[in-house]
Coordinates of all heavy atoms in Angstrom, one line a residue:
I81 N -1.4 -8.6 -4.2 CA -1.1 -7.2 -4.4 C -0.1 -6.7 -3.4 O -0.1 -7.0 -2.2 CB -2.4 -6.4 -4.1 CG1 -3.6 -6.8 -5.1 CG2 -2.2 -4.9 -4.3 CD1 -4.9 -6.1 -4.8
I82 N 0.9 -6.0 -4.0 CA 1.9 -5.3 -3.2 C 1.4 -3.8 -3.1 O 1.4 -3.1 -4.2 CB 3.3 -5.3 -3.8 CG1 3.7 -6.8 -3.9 CG2 4.3 -4.6 -2.9 CD1 5.1 -7.0 -4.7
G83 N 1.1 -3.3 -2.0 CA 0.6 -1.9 -1.8 C 1.9 -1.1 -1.4 O 2.3 -1.3 -0.3
A85 N 3.6 2.2 -0.2 CA 3.1 3.4 0.5 C 4.2 4.2 1.1 O 5.2 3.7 1.7 CB 2.2 2.9 1.7
V87 N 5.5 6.6 3.9 CA 5.1 6.8 5.4 C 6.0 7.7 6.1 O 7.1 7.9 5.7 CB 5.0 5.4 6.1 CG1 4.0 4.4 5.5 CG2 6.4 4.7 6.1
Q93 N 13.7 2.7 14.4 CA 14.3 1.9 13.3 C 13.7 2.3 11.9 O 14.2 2.0 10.9 CB 14.2 0.4 13.5 CG 12.8 -0.3 13.4 CD 12.1 -0.3 14.7 OE1 12.3 0.6 15.5 NE2 11.2 -1.2 14.8
A94 N 12.6 3.1 12.0 CA 11.9 3.5 10.7 C 12.5 4.9 10.3 O 11.8 5.9 10.2 CB 10.4 3.6 10.9
T98 N 14.3 4.0 4.6 CA 14.2 2.6 4.9 C 12.9 2.0 4.4 O 11.9 2.7 4.2 CB 14.1 2.4 6.5 OG1 15.2 3.1 7.1 CG2 14.1 1.0 6.9
V99 N 13.0 0.7 4.0 CA 11.8 0.0 3.6 C 11.3 -0.9 4.8 O 12.1 -1.5 5.4 CB 12.1 -1.0 2.4 CG1 11.0 -1.9 2.1 CG2 12.5 -0.2 1.2
V100 N 10.0 -0.8 5.1 CA 9.4 -1.5 6.2 C 8.3 -2.4 5.6 O 7.5 -2.0 4.8 CB 8.8 -0.6 7.3 CG1 8.3 -1.4 8.4 CG2 9.8 0.4 7.7
V101 N 8.3 -3.7 6.1 CA 7.2 -4.6 5.6 C 6.3 -4.8 6.9 O 6.6 -5.7 7.7 CB 7.8 -5.9 5.1 CG1 6.6 -6.8 4.6 CG2 8.8 -5.7 4.0
P102 N 5.3 -3.9 7.0 CA 4.5 -4.0 8.3 C 3.8 -5.3 8.5 O 3.4 -6.0 7.5 CB 3.6 -2.8 8.2 CG 3.5 -2.5 6.7 CD 4.8 -2.9 6.1
D103 N 3.5 -5.6 9.7 CA 2.7 -6.8 10.0 C 1.4 -6.5 10.7 O 0.6 -7.4 11.0 CB 3.5 -7.9 10.8 CG 3.9 -7.4 12.2 OD1 4.0 -6.2 12.4 OD2 4.1 -8.2 13.0
Q104 N 1.2 -5.3 11.1 CA 0.0 -4.9 11.8 C -0.5 -3.5 11.4 O 0.3 -2.7 10.8 CB 0.2 -5.0 13.3 CG 0.0 -6.3 14.0 CD -1.4 -6.9 13.8 OE1 -2.4 -6.2 13.7 NE2 -1.4 -8.3 13.6
I105 N -1.8 -3.3 11.7 CA -2.4 -2.0 11.3 C -3.3 -1.5 12.4 O -3.9 -2.3 13.1 CB -3.4 -2.2 10.1 CG1 -2.6 -2.7 8.9 CG2 -4.1 -0.9 9.8 CD1 -3.5 -3.1 7.7
Y133 N -2.1 -8.6 7.0 CA -1.3 -8.8 5.8 C -1.1 -10.3 5.5 O -1.1 -11.1 6.4 CB 0.0 -8.1 5.9 CG -0.1 -6.6 6.1 CD1 0.3 -6.0 7.3 CD2 -0.5 -5.8 5.1 CE1 0.2 -4.7 7.5 CE2 -0.6 -4.4 5.2 CZ -0.2 -3.8 6.5 OH -0.3 -2.5 6.6
C134 N -0.9 -10.6 4.2 CA -0.7 -11.9 3.7 C 0.8 -12.3 4.1 O 1.7 -11.7 3.6 CB -0.9 -11.9 2.2 SG -0.5 -13.5 1.4
E135 N 0.9 -13.3 5.0 CA 2.2 -13.6 5.5 C 3.2 -14.2 4.4 O 4.4 -13.8 4.4 CB 2.1 -14.6 6.7 CG 3.4 -14.8 7.5 CD 4.0 -13.5 8.0 OE1 3.3 -12.5 8.2 OE2 5.3 -13.6 8.3
S136 N 2.7 -14.9 3.5 CA 3.5 -15.5 2.5 C 4.1 -14.4 1.6 O 5.3 -14.4 1.2 CB 2.8 -16.6 1.6 OG 1.7 -16.0 1.0
L137 N 3.3 -13.4 1.3 CA 3.8 -12.3 0.4 C 4.8 -11.4 1.3 O 5.8 -10.9 0.7 CB 2.6 -11.4 -0.1 CG 3.0 -10.4 -1.1 CD1 3.8 -10.9 -2.3 CD2 1.7 -9.7 -1.7
R138 N 4.5 -11.2 2.5 CA 5.4 -10.5 3.4 C 6.8 -11.1 3.4 O 7.8 -10.5 3.3 CB 4.8 -10.5 4.8 CG 4.2 -9.2 5.2 CD 3.6 -9.2 6.7 NE 4.4 -10.0 7.6 CZ 5.6 -9.6 8.2 NH1 6.1 -8.4 8.0 NH2 6.2 -10.4 9.0
Q139 N 6.8 -12.4 3.5 CA 8.0 -13.2 3.6 C 8.8 -13.1 2.2 O 10.0 -12.9 2.2 CB 7.9 -14.6 4.0 CG 7.4 -14.8 5.4 CD 8.3 -14.1 6.4 OE1 9.5 -14.0 6.3 NE2 7.7 -13.6 7.5
L140 N 8.0 -13.1 1.1 CA 8.7 -12.9 -0.2 C 9.4 -11.5 -0.3 O 10.5 -11.4 -0.8 CB 7.6 -13.0 -1.3 CG 7.3 -14.4 -1.8 CD1 6.3 -14.2 -3.0 CD2 8.5 -15.2 -2.2
L141 N 8.6 -10.5 0.2 CA 9.2 -9.1 0.1 C 10.4 -9.0 1.0 O 11.4 -8.4 0.6 CB 8.1 -8.1 0.6 CG 6.9 -8.0 -0.3 CD1 5.8 -7.1 0.3 CD2 7.3 -7.3 -1.7
I142 N 10.4 -9.6 2.2 CA 11.5 -9.5 3.1 C 12.7 -10.3 2.5 O 13.8 -9.8 2.5 CB 11.1 -10.1 4.5 CG1 10.1 -9.2 5.2 CG2 12.3 -10.4 5.3 CD1 9.4 -9.8 6.4
G143 N 12.4 -11.5 2.0 CA 13.5 -12.3 1.4 C 14.2 -11.5 0.2 O 15.4 -11.5 0.0
A144 N 13.3 -10.9 -0.6 CA 13.8 -10.2 -1.8 C 14.7 -9.0 -1.3 O 15.7 -8.7 -1.9 CB 12.7 -9.7 -2.7
A145 N 14.2 -8.3 -0.3 CA 15.0 -7.1 0.2 C 16.3 -7.6 0.7 O 17.4 -6.9 0.4 CB 14.2 -6.4 1.3
Q146 N 16.3 -8.7 1.4 CA 17.6 -9.2 2.0 C 18.5 -9.6 0.9 O 19.7 -9.3 0.9 CB 17.3 -10.3 3.0 CG 16.7 -9.7 4.3 CD 16.2 -10.8 5.2 OE1 15.9 -11.9 4.8 NE2 16.1 -10.4 6.5
V150 N 19.0 -4.6 0.5 CA 18.3 -3.3 0.9 C 17.9 -3.4 2.4 O 17.4 -4.4 2.8 CB 17.0 -3.3 0.0 CG1 16.0 -2.3 0.6 CG2 17.3 -3.0 -1.4
P151 N 18.2 -2.3 3.1 CA 17.9 -2.3 4.5 C 16.4 -2.4 4.7 O 15.6 -1.6 4.1 CB 18.4 -0.9 5.0 CG 18.9 -0.2 3.9 CD 18.9 -1.0 2.6
V152 N 16.0 -3.4 5.4 CA 14.5 -3.6 5.6 C 14.2 -3.9 7.0 O 14.9 -4.6 7.7 CB 14.1 -4.8 4.7 CG1 14.7 -6.1 5.0 CG2 12.6 -5.0 4.6
V153 N 13.1 -3.4 7.5 CA 12.5 -3.6 8.8 C 11.4 -4.7 8.6 O 10.5 -4.5 7.8 CB 12.0 -2.4 9.5 CG1 11.5 -2.7 10.9 CG2 13.1 -1.3 9.6
L154 N 11.6 -5.8 9.4 CA 10.8 -7.0 9.1 C 9.3 -6.9 9.6 O 8.5 -7.8 9.2 CB 11.4 -8.2 9.7 CG 12.9 -8.4 9.5 CD1 13.4 -9.8 9.9 CD2 13.3 -8.2 8.0
E155 N 9.0 -6.0 10.5 CA 7.7 -5.9 11.0 C 7.4 -4.5 11.5 O 8.4 -3.7 11.7 CB 7.4 -6.9 12.1 CG 8.4 -6.8 13.2 CD 8.4 -7.9 14.3 OE1 7.9 -9.0 13.9 OE2 8.9 -7.7 15.4
G156 N 6.2 -4.2 11.8 CA 5.9 -2.9 12.4 C 4.4 -2.7 12.2 O 3.7 -3.3 11.4
T157 N 3.9 -1.8 13.1 CA 2.5 -1.4 13.0 C 2.3 -0.2 12.2 O 2.9 0.9 12.6 CB 1.9 -1.3 14.5 OG1 2.0 -2.6 15.1 CG2 0.5 -0.9 14.4
Y158 N 1.4 -0.3 11.2 CA 1.1 0.9 10.3 C -0.1 1.6 10.9 O -1.2 1.0 11.0 CB 0.9 0.3 8.9 CG 0.5 1.3 7.9 CD1 1.4 1.7 6.8 CD2 -0.8 2.0 7.9 CE1 1.0 2.6 5.9 CE2 -1.1 2.9 6.9 CZ -0.2 3.2 5.9 OH -0.6 4.1 5.0
D181 N 4.4 2.1 14.6 CA 5.8 2.4 14.2 C 5.8 3.3 13.0 O 6.9 3.9 12.8 CB 6.5 1.1 13.8 CG 6.5 0.1 15.0 OD1 7.2 0.4 15.9 OD2 5.8 -0.9 14.9
L182 N 4.8 3.3 12.2 CA 4.7 4.1 11.0 C 3.4 4.8 10.9 O 2.4 4.4 11.5 CB 4.7 3.1 9.8 CG 5.7 2.0 9.7 CD1 5.4 1.0 8.7 CD2 7.1 2.6 9.4
Y201 N -2.5 -9.7 0.2 CA -2.1 -8.3 0.1 C -1.0 -8.1 1.2 O -1.1 -8.5 2.3 CB -3.3 -7.4 0.4 CG -2.9 -5.9 0.5 CD1 -3.1 -5.1 -0.6 CD2 -2.5 -5.4 1.7 CE1 -2.8 -3.8 -0.6 CE2 -2.2 -4.0 1.7 CZ -2.4 -3.2 0.6 OH -2.1 -1.9 0.7
A202 N 0.1 -7.5 0.7 CA 1.1 -7.0 1.7 C 1.6 -5.6 1.3 O 1.4 -5.2 0.2 CB 2.3 -8.0 1.7
S203 N 2.2 -5.0 2.3 CA 2.5 -3.6 2.0 C 4.1 -3.4 2.1 O 4.7 -4.1 2.9 CB 1.9 -2.7 3.1 OG 2.4 -1.4 3.1
C204 N 4.6 -2.6 1.2 CA 6.0 -2.2 1.3 C 6.0 -0.7 1.6 O 5.6 0.1 0.8 CB 6.6 -2.4 -0.1 SG 8.1 -3.2 -0.1
A205 N 6.3 -0.4 2.8 CA 6.3 1.0 3.2 C 7.6 1.6 3.1 O 8.6 1.1 3.6 CB 5.8 1.1 4.7
V206 N 7.7 2.8 2.4 CA 9.0 3.5 2.2 C 8.9 4.7 3.1 O 8.0 5.5 2.9 CB 9.2 3.8 0.7 CG1 10.4 4.6 0.5 CG2 9.2 2.5 -0.1
V207 N 9.9 4.8 4.0 CA 9.8 5.9 5.0 C 10.3 7.2 4.3 O 11.5 7.3 3.8 CB 10.7 5.6 6.2 CG1 10.5 6.8 7.2 CG2 10.2 4.3 6.9
F235 N 13.3 0.2 -3.2 CA 12.1 -0.7 -3.6 C 12.3 -1.4 -5.0 O 12.0 -2.6 -5.1 CB 10.8 0.1 -3.6 CG 9.6 -0.7 -4.1 CD1 9.1 -1.7 -3.3 CD2 9.0 -0.4 -5.3 CE1 8.1 -2.5 -3.8 CE2 7.9 -1.1 -5.7 CZ 7.5 -2.2 -5.0
L238 N 14.6 -4.2 -4.6 CA 13.9 -5.3 -4.0 C 13.1 -6.1 -5.0 O 13.1 -7.3 -5.1 CB 13.0 -4.7 -2.9 CG 12.0 -5.6 -2.1 CD1 11.6 -4.8 -0.8 CD2 10.8 -6.0 -2.8
L242 N 12.6 -10.3 -6.5 CA 11.4 -11.1 -6.2 C 11.4 -12.4 -7.0 O 11.5 -12.2 -8.3 CB 10.1 -10.3 -6.5 CG 9.3 -9.6 -5.5 CD1 7.9 -9.2 -6.1 CD2 9.1 -10.4 -4.2

Side-chain angles (χ1 to χ4, degrees):
I81 300 177
I82 302 171
V87 296
Q93 74 271 27
T98 307
V99 172
V100 184
V101 184
D103 65 335
Q104 277 297 330
I105 298 175
Y133 297 111
C134 174
E135 189 57 24
S136 60
L137 187 52
R138 259 182 31 80
Q139 292 306 327
L140 276 187
L141 292 171
I142 290 168
Q146 288 171 336
V150 163
V152 62
V153 178
L154 313 189
E155 57 189 19
T157 297
Y158 178 110
D181 299 291
L182 312 167
Y201 176 95
S203 169
C204 225
V206 178
V207 184
F235 174 67
L238 175 163
L242 260 192

